[in-house]
Amino acid sequence: MELLRGGCVVCRNRGPALCAACLRRTEPPPSTRMRDLGRVHALFAYEGHGARIVQALKYRDGRRLVAPLADELARRWAEVAPAAPGLTVTWVPTSGRRRRDRGYDQSELLARALARRLGATARPLLRRRPGPAQTGLDRAGREAAAGYRATARTGGPVLLLDDVCTTGSTLRAASAALAGAGSPPIGHLVLARTP
């Protein structure tokens, strides 16, 4: 794993972890309506610069990307949703093995930073069931592998965050688990959406 040093993760120029010019080059996909989820809101498409940003965050110890990405996620959420008093931000957890390998769960870091920006609470409400990683699986494999259980419930509105949405199977499984525990998400927010 190549670790990130200073400068922009996309253009490698000195400065912030993600420069404004490279961020402007990531086109936000339109909010996508997905079966059983409603709208899924993304910052950018998982291609080109957007894919590089996500890969740096996940595979190159990109924790210094959390702050600028949380700023953008907060802006995106403010564009698409009214203020929700008592909001809880939760995340789709990565596997224990990936968390140990990376030393962090990128979605958890983003959710906690996003909650601070929204004046909300961040809480772990989901646990991943044992199963294979979804990276590289086709649609049927992703549907079969996605499994979560709710570990808690909240009485207020819940925003569910994940890093990448491909087929929607992960968000569907996580949302179903939350809804089954009495905390259906009011929205779904992701860094990137596959085209």
Side-chain angles (χ1 to χ4, degrees):
M1 171 175 65
E2 173 198 356
L3 297 181
L4 293 175
R5 303 292 179 227
C8 177
V9 300
V10 178
C11 67
R12 307 275 189 192
N13 287 335
R14 287 180 178 244
L18 181 58
C19 74
C22 287
L23 184 59
R24 277 193 306 274
R25 288 189 201 109
T26 60
E27 286 298 318
S31 294
T32 306
R33 187 168 286 287
M34 299 189 82
R35 176 178 54 87
D36 301 329
L37 289 173
R39 294 210 177 276
V40 175
H41 307 285
L43 279 187
F44 40 74
Y46 187 70
E47 63 183 356
H49 286 9
R52 282 193 208 129
I53 293 165
V54 172
Q55 289 163 7
L57 175 67
K58 291 173 73 166
Y59 306 118
R60 293 175 33 216
D61 192 18
R63 286 177 272 203
R64 64 191 185 90
L65 284 166
V66 170
L69 290 174
D71 291 342
E72 294 304 315
L73 286 166
R75 278 191 205 99
R76 180 73 172 131
W77 185 245
E79 290 171 3
V80 299
L87 180 68
T88 296
V89 180
T90 196
W91 59 93
V92 176
T94 192
S95 70
R97 188 183 124 258
R98 288 195 178 212
R99 184 183 181 108
R100 285 187 299 276
D101 290 349
R102 292 179 188 146
Y104 59 95
D105 179 334
Q106 68 282 351
S107 293
E108 178 182 358
L109 295 179
L110 287 168
R112 290 188 183 282
L114 173 62
R116 283 191 297 274
R117 284 152 178 79
L118 297 177
T121 301
R123 282 185 60 199
L125 299 177
L126 293 163
R127 178 159 297 151
R128 189 182 179 103
R129 290 195 170 130
Q134 292 193 10
T135 304
L137 296 178
D138 62 11
R139 179 178 292 273
R142 285 175 182 273
E143 295 284 348
Y148 301 90
R149 72 175 178 82
T151 58
R153 68 176 287 189
T154 179
V158 174
L159 169 59
L160 181 58
L161 179 81
D162 200 9
D163 53 8
V164 179
C165 178
T166 302
T167 64
S169 58
T170 298
L171 286 175
R172 266 191 289 285
S175 292
L178 290 169
S183 299
I186 62 164
H188 303 87
L189 186 61
V190 297
L191 277 183
R193 174 85 171 89
T194 55

